Amino acid sequence: MREQIEAIAREAMEKLENVQDMKSLEEIRVLFLGKKGKLTGILKGMGALSAEERPVIGQLVNEVRKQLEDSITTNKNRLLQKEREERIAKETIDVTMPGTLLSRGRKHPLTQVLDEIKEVFIGMGYEIAEGPEVELDYYNFEALNIPKNHPSRDTQDSFYINENVVLRTQTSPVQIRVMEAKKPPIKIICPGRVYRSDQVDATHSPIFHQVEGLVVDKGVTMGDLIGTLQVFAKSLFGENTIIRLRPHHFPFTEPSAEVDVSCWACGGKGCRVCKNEGWIEILGAGMVHPKVLEVCGIDPKIYSGFAFGLGVERTAMGRFNIDDMRLLYENDMRFLKQF
Ligand code: DAH
């Protein structure tokens, strides 16, 4: 029986030495160690042995089983490692293969115009300021000299969160926040999103963008305002552009003006773009109202300032000759690709 066991061991080890894949390895395991396996068969036949022989043969069988099990484990690890290496080799990327071309993006026309506006003002020494879009009624209206029941609130249909909190209808509240936070000289622009409860149409959207400007210092005059806006208009709409101020009323500026630029399409002669006016309105502006300086703790006897606010959508529509504001929000690539 001993020879038989040794023969089985030799046969098994030989097979194990040559095994090349996991499937054959499992077959070998079943063939020798499985329920009907060769070694298991020996154990079953041990009942026929004498009492002296039985423990000796039993021990031998156990030793051989242990040897086979160890070898199976070693081979299993070896084969797994081999499979992994083969898989990795197969996955190797050929970097010389031609790639899939990703189409290159570009800036949205609103962002382009905003960047141009920022560049002009940063060039004149302005800093960028920011304020919250969910704003207190106090900053959005009250401190800007627009008390409750003031008729000018009607022109800015607002989204109220509650009685005291509103989605800002203009970037002007940032003027107050900046003047509260630092003393003159102040020279900032504030680009940002604003909200009004307006129906969507070719010239209205409940969400749009403004850029606010504020300069406060000793001896700031209307002349400084006009000079600044002139530089701005020429940079954005071309060297030949001129501006015109029309008297207007804003509660937070005195005097106030609406500012037009000469039509970028016809140069002022009158055309379809300017509706034969020769002029296109682009922003509101004025000298900061003494009351507004006062609520921010700035003495209007010592300091003066100017402010302006312009619509980014309107400017972009002018700059790129876009006749429907909705196009700016629809994210249609066929439209956006043109700019
Ligand atoms: N906030 C005004 C609006 O949304 C625009 C404006 C007008 C801003 C005059 C100003 C200004 O700073 O001086 O209609």
Side-chain angles (χ1 to χ4, degrees):
M1 192 167 256
R2 179 180 283 274
E3 290 85 64
Q4 210 183 332
I5 296 170
E6 278 164 0
I8 290 173
R10 239 179 285 117
E11 187 197 349
M13 288 312 281
E14 197 176 310
K15 280 191 153 55
L16 282 170
E17 253 165 51
N18 297 319
V19 69
Q20 289 307 332
D21 58 80
M22 293 292 279
K23 189 164 164 277
S24 325
L25 183 68
E26 177 59 12
E27 278 165 14
I28 296 168
R29 193 192 63 79
V30 172
L31 180 62
F32 293 96
L33 301 176
K35 261 191 204 133
K36 291 177 189 152
K38 293 191 178 182
L39 204 62
T40 323
I42 300 280
L43 281 173
K44 280 181 188 153
M46 271 175 48
L49 296 174
S50 68
E52 297 89 62
E53 268 181 320
R54 213 174 291 149
V56 184
I57 296 299
Q59 200 191 346
L60 183 63
V61 171
N62 279 337
E63 274 167 21
V64 170
R65 196 206 343 243
K66 172 93 181 34
Q67 189 190 1
L68 294 190
E69 279 170 356
D70 287 351
S71 173
I72 286 170
T73 310
T74 316
N75 277 295
K76 192 166 158 188
N77 291 337
R78 176 177 62 83
L79 291 174
L80 281 176
Q81 173 72 16
K82 193 176 107 186
E83 273 180 14
R84 199 175 311 132
E85 275 163 14
E86 280 168 4
R87 202 176 56 238
I88 289 171
K90 234 188 277 163
E91 283 171 2
T92 305
I93 297 166
D94 178 359
V95 290
T96 62
M97 296 256 286
T100 334
L101 215 57
L102 281 181
S103 66
R104 186 146 161 226
R106 69 187 77 203
K107 281 185 186 165
H108 190 281
L110 280 180
T111 311
Q112 286 182 42
V113 164
L114 197 55
D115 283 352
E116 282 180 30
I117 296 171
K118 282 188 200 163
E119 207 171 296
V120 175
F121 283 104
I122 288 170
M124 289 193 275
Y126 285 66
E127 284 174 63
I128 309 277
E130 282 185 341
E133 289 173 25
V134 182
E135 184 57 286
L136 290 171
D137 183 276
Y138 174 77
Y139 288 104
N140 195 79
F141 294 122
E142 206 81 28
L144 287 165
N145 201 23
I146 314 172
K148 293 219 161 41
N149 306 317
H150 191 287
S152 91
R153 287 202 183 201
D154 295 346
T155 64
Q156 301 191 358
D157 267 335
S158 319
F159 292 112
Y160 277 92
I161 309 282
N162 62 41
E163 212 187 313
N164 299 317
V165 181
V166 63
L167 296 184
R168 68 177 179 196
T169 59
Q170 48 187 351
T171 42
S172 305
V174 183
Q175 289 189 31
I176 307 296
R177 289 185 173 275
V178 169
M179 285 191 279
E180 274 184 358
K182 64 178 262 189
K183 295 303 142 208
I186 292 169
K187 218 173 160 185
I188 57 108
I189 56 164
C190 166
R193 215 176 278 151
V194 299
Y195 302 82
R196 290 190 198 175
S197 177
D198 286 329
Q199 291 294 325
V200 174
D201 65 24
T203 52
H204 291 86
S205 156
I207 303 176
F208 59 103
H209 301 78
Q210 290 187 334
V211 175
E212 194 78 12
L214 173 71
V215 172
V216 184
D217 203 350
K218 285 178 184 154
V220 175
T221 69
M222 196 88 182
D224 297 319
L225 170 63
I226 294 171
T228 303
L229 295 178
Q230 185 71 72
V231 169
F232 164 72
K234 282 184 190 297
S235 312
L236 239 81
F237 300 109
E239 217 14 67
N240 296 325
T241 311
I242 53 172
I243 61 167
R244 160 177 100 167
L245 277 71
R246 282 176 290 106
H248 196 73
H249 171 262
F250 295 107
F252 40 90
T253 43
E254 181 58 36
S256 305
E258 275 189 330
V259 181
D260 302 336
V261 294
S262 51
C263 178
W264 43 75
C266 65
K269 289 195 283 292
C271 69
R272 199 181 60 87
V273 174
C274 58
K275 301 195 183 79
N276 276 322
E277 296 273 338
W279 298 94
I280 297 171
E281 185 205 324
I282 54 158
L283 51 82
M287 299 305 292
V288 182
H289 198 293
K291 272 195 190 168
V292 173
L293 292 173
E294 246 161 33
V295 287
C296 300
I298 294 174
D299 188 347
K301 288 192 211 73
I302 303 175
Y303 294 103
S304 58
F306 66 74
F308 57 88
L310 84 137
V312 181
E313 277 76 358
R314 185 183 292 193
T315 311
M317 287 165 76
R319 186 78 170 57
F320 295 122
N321 225 339
I322 298 165
D323 59 7
D324 193 324
M325 196 188 279
R326 287 167 287 200
L327 292 165
L328 290 170
Y329 305 118
E330 281 167 356
N331 286 337
D332 186 333
M333 288 303 289
R334 290 166 302 179
F335 169 73
L336 293 173
K337 266 187 184 160
Q338 304 172 59
F339 307 102

